[in-house]
Amino acid sequence: MMRKLGWSDRRIGWSAGMLVLLAMGTLTAKTQQSDNGSANPAALVNLLIGTTNGGNDYPGATLPLGMLAWSPEEPRNRPRRHVEGVPGSMRDDHGRPAAPGGYEYTANRISGFSLTHLMGTGCAGAGGDIPFMPYVGEVTSSPASDEGAEIYGSAFSHDDETAKAGYYKVKLENGVTVELTSTLRTGAGRFTYPAGKTAVMLVRTANSETGSTDAHVKIDATNRIVSGSVTSGNFCGYLGTTDRRSYYTLYFVAHFDAPFLSTGTWQDATVRAGTSEASGGTTFGAKGFVPPAKGSGGWVVLDTSRSASVEVHVGISYVSEENAEANLLAENPPGSTFERVRETAHSAWNDTLSRVQVEGGTHDEQVVFYTALYHTLLGENLASDVDGRYRGMDGKVHSLAAPQKAQYSTFSGWDVYRSQLQLLTLLEPDVAGDFAQSLLNQANQNGGEWDRWTHNSGITHVMNGDPAAPSIADILAFGGSNFDARAAYKSLLLAATVPTAHDLSKEGCEVECVGQRPSLDQWLKLHYIPVGANAWGPAADTLEDATADFAISELARRMGDDSTHSQFLVRAQYWKNIFNPQATSEGGYIQNRNADGTWPKFSPESDDGFVEGSAAQYLWMVPFNAQGLFTMLGGNEKASRRLNAFFYKPDGSLAVTESGGLHAELNNEPSIETPWLFDFLGQPWKTQEAVRKVLNSIWTNSPRGMPGNDDLGEMSSWYVWSAIGMYPEIPGRAELVLGSPLFTAVHIRRPAGDIVVKAHNAGTNAPYVQSLKVNGKTTTKTWLPERFVDHGGTLEFELGATPNKHWGTSAKDAPPSFEP
């Protein structure tokens, strides 16, 4: 039986139980005074950056890698009825949120404040579980029938909104002021109702962002508790039936400090005043979206006669309602006041963000930098409870085994293997090691198959390639060693050599192919993925599989398995089998290839055969063997001309986004490694110029200030690395290719040894490296070896406003490339 806690008196002193806030897997750095006197980087975070223009980030309250994220949900703006000739009216996506993060800056209506969120994804989002909505007035119709939240939702103005690290506040047009803060697995809300009005709290248990197949709510008026659960999933489910299913259940327990005057529930279109229990999900509809008038929930009328402000303390768990209560007792116990939870959340963010201290730059540049670092640390989510239990991919409850301290979920592999996991590991190797073990646990619970995109306790198969291999190799290369690396290696090696039934199946294709290595049989036979295979884009899949094989070769090297290292280094070069030297009159391209070896019709600006990018953009995606690619293009001189045409328009201006399929698109993953390739060509000033152009133009201190989906912090991590002046170009290895720092000083505090970057004359108009010292010794190399990451060190840049075309230009200065 669930223990009843005494939450009615908020005046009880602060409990020491809150000190567990940073335990069980959160980032644990201690706040240190920054070199420029600022110990409050959390105050620089602008949570509204990335909330429009497709960024899909959310502004609510959470902690680094937290399980709970309490943030607004907004419905899409659309006509209420079909209007002849108006596209989009009476569409099939009823109930779809305004944006996948639940929040879109240009929207102006809130339907609730939900307890979980995904950060910066595409599709239609997911999570957004258990929205709480304060309402003023009588409940006379079912909230399930309130399409567009026009009755029970409320408009608001951004003038009445505050979003800070660990804290969110908004005054709604209905008169209620909402304040939210959080711990790792719990939240605290303060809702201040207008005097003399009927104060209602709706708990829309069934209304997850993508719907639900089941939901339960129970109201205990005597103990002022609302509890229940929702069963959901359906990430990208509207794209096909493979993912149109539930794969997790979230349990919650909410304690109120105000008495309940009355209660009620609803189920579908039926309202039942005076009741205290209801069940029923929304379903996913015919097309994967929430249909109208479906779902259940409950409401309470609150007694605000003693205080207009009502505090709600809520715990969540993916294991059980009892565990949600235990999480609440441990992290947010009786006596915890809203202000104390808020202060502790702010301190937790300061502790984490202070890992990286910057000096110089403009105020806006510092804001964008710390906001990007903040977003980088929201990608993965804590999944285990305070007792170490968690729900596995097999639907069973598992317990952590030492040395693992926390189980994490939410893995957007296609995105985060490129630079987000490397940054996380650089700053917190033990946390990253726990994440690597989490991925291995997921695979073991999923019949040995590593999924590309996992969400809570579910596999979704979204995107392409096999990103688990470079992800594990990234974490190991950057110092995350506290996981069973040998078991992970053996599992990944088996998956890359023995085709499974899922690998041979077309189920879910194109976007959600169920296999870990779709068409692995073709890869082993033809040494490329041909047209007609199980794939989203055969040419793109070939490139991703080549990167995965390179990562396995690196894992083999670190395991001392020399023969497998050599074998997979050869396999990593299979990308050459889809390079057509006569693709166009200007030269060769990577393109689709038929199983019989012939080449289909081709256009470099087309995305045929590719994933979220064109052939011209994918041409450069061989980050582990840039020199091998340049050789295929006819040598460095011809490759240089091609890369220049990719980045520069005929008038000489840089083309870094929205310039068409023949040019770079630095708002999405396929292009983000390309500006660093100038280092490999002996033209590092062009890397410095292009990267700075991106930092200064498409990243800004505004809601539109993020280019495209943030993708669980991947794009934000690109900004952080670039502003520091380096980038992990080669998946599975820890060399860092160099650009130029945005700030005059950067100090990265880390267990393996600090990294200090000094940049004399740094500034917006001085992106060009004139000279560099590494640990006091002058160098012309445009990259740092793995041992720099292993031990730390000091970089001293001299920057200027004009390019130094003599620094870093010789072949011996270029970063390494890898082939047999």
Side-chain angles (χ1 to χ4, degrees), residues 586 589 603-606 614 616-617 645-647 659-664:
E586 66 173 315
Y589 272 96
S603 173
E605 64 264 35
S606 169
S614 67
Q617 290 156 0
F646 184 65
F647 270 100
S659 297
L662 294 177
H663 293 290

Side-chain angles (χ1 to χ4, degrees), residues 44-64:
L44 290 168
V45 175
N46 176 6
L47 272 65
L48 295 180
I49 292 176
T51 56
T52 191
N53 195 32
N56 296 341
D57 286 337
Y58 61 83
T62 190
L63 285 190

Side-chain angles (χ1 to χ4, degrees), residues 523 542-543 545-551 553 566-576 622 624-625 818:
W523 180 255
T542 297
L543 291 173
D545 285 353
T547 292
D549 279 357
F550 177 76
S553 77
S566 298
Q567 175 193 0
F568 273 76
L569 188 56
V570 170
R571 282 178 48 160
Q573 314 309 319
Y574 287 176
W575 61 270
K576 296 179 181 180
V622 191
F624 55 86
N625 191 8
F818 297 89

Side-chain angles (χ1 to χ4, degrees), residues 19-43:
L19 296 178
V20 302
L21 174 65
L22 298 179
M24 295 296 294
T26 189
L27 306 181
T28 55
K30 299 300 180 183
T31 303
Q32 301 189 40
Q33 187 75 12
S34 71
D35 297 333
N36 65 356
S38 171
N40 194 13

Side-chain angles (χ1 to χ4, degrees), residues 209-453:
E209 282 184 9
T210 52
S212 60
T213 52
D214 198 10
H216 302 274
V217 64
K218 181 178 180 180
I219 303 170
D220 179 351
T222 301
N223 293 288
R224 306 174 188 176
I225 296 173
V226 179
S227 60
S229 65
V230 65
T231 300
S232 186
N234 194 32
F235 180 61
C236 295
Y238 69 95
L239 296 177
T241 57
T242 298
D243 282 341
R244 198 175 303 165
R245 57 187 170 81
S246 288
Y247 45 74
Y248 72 89
T249 297
L250 180 75
Y251 302 89
F252 77 100
V253 178
H255 292 253
F256 291 70
D257 73 346
F260 299 170
L261 295 177
S262 62
T263 68
T265 65
W266 68 89
Q267 184 169 357
D268 297 339
T270 302
V271 177
R272 303 180 299 197
T275 60
S276 59
E277 293 189 48
S279 298
T282 64
T283 78
F284 299 138
K287 298 292 182 66
F289 297 109
V290 178
K294 296 293 290 184
S296 61
W299 78 86
V300 296
V301 179
L302 299 161
D303 183 354
T304 55
S305 60
R306 292 182 57 189
S307 173
S309 294
V310 177
E311 286 196 13
V312 181
H313 294 249
V314 57
I316 62 173
S317 167
Y318 292 99
V319 172
S320 67
E321 193 173 310
E322 290 74 19
N323 267 34
E325 182 86 358
N327 290 340
L328 190 62
L329 179 62
E331 294 183 2
N332 199 343
S336 303
T337 65
F338 180 88
E339 290 302 332
R340 284 290 191 174
V341 179
R342 175 189 173 185
E343 290 167 6
T344 306
H346 185 84
S347 295
W349 273 113
N350 263 334
D351 291 342
T352 298
L353 297 174
S354 292
R355 282 285 190 182
V356 185
Q357 298 280 357
V358 302
E359 291 182 45
T362 66
H363 172 75
D364 280 353
E365 287 168 342
Q366 289 198 8
V367 167
V368 174
F369 178 85
Y370 278 111
T371 304
L373 182 57
Y374 170 95
H375 283 143
T376 298
L377 299 171
L378 295 185
E380 297 75 35
N381 298 115
L382 183 64
S384 53
D385 293 332
V386 292
D387 66 356
R389 292 194 295 163
Y390 66 93
R391 185 78 59 177
M393 294 291 153
D394 53 5
K396 300 177 182 178
V397 175
H398 298 263
S399 295
L400 298 173
Q404 187 180 12
K405 295 181 180 179
Q407 176 76 11
Y408 293 96
S409 66
T410 311
F411 170 60
S412 177
W414 185 86
D415 304 295
V416 299
Y417 86 77
R418 302 169 199 266
S419 62
Q420 190 263 351
L421 288 175
Q422 293 91 320
L423 184 57
L424 174 63
T425 312
L426 185 79
L427 300 178
E428 288 287 349
D430 287 348
V431 172
D434 274 352
F435 184 65
Q437 185 64 48
S438 299
L439 294 179
L440 175 59
N441 293 344
Q442 290 179 0
N444 288 339
Q445 296 153 10
N446 187 41
E449 296 183 35
W450 301 64
D451 197 68
R452 287 178 290 281
W453 222 116

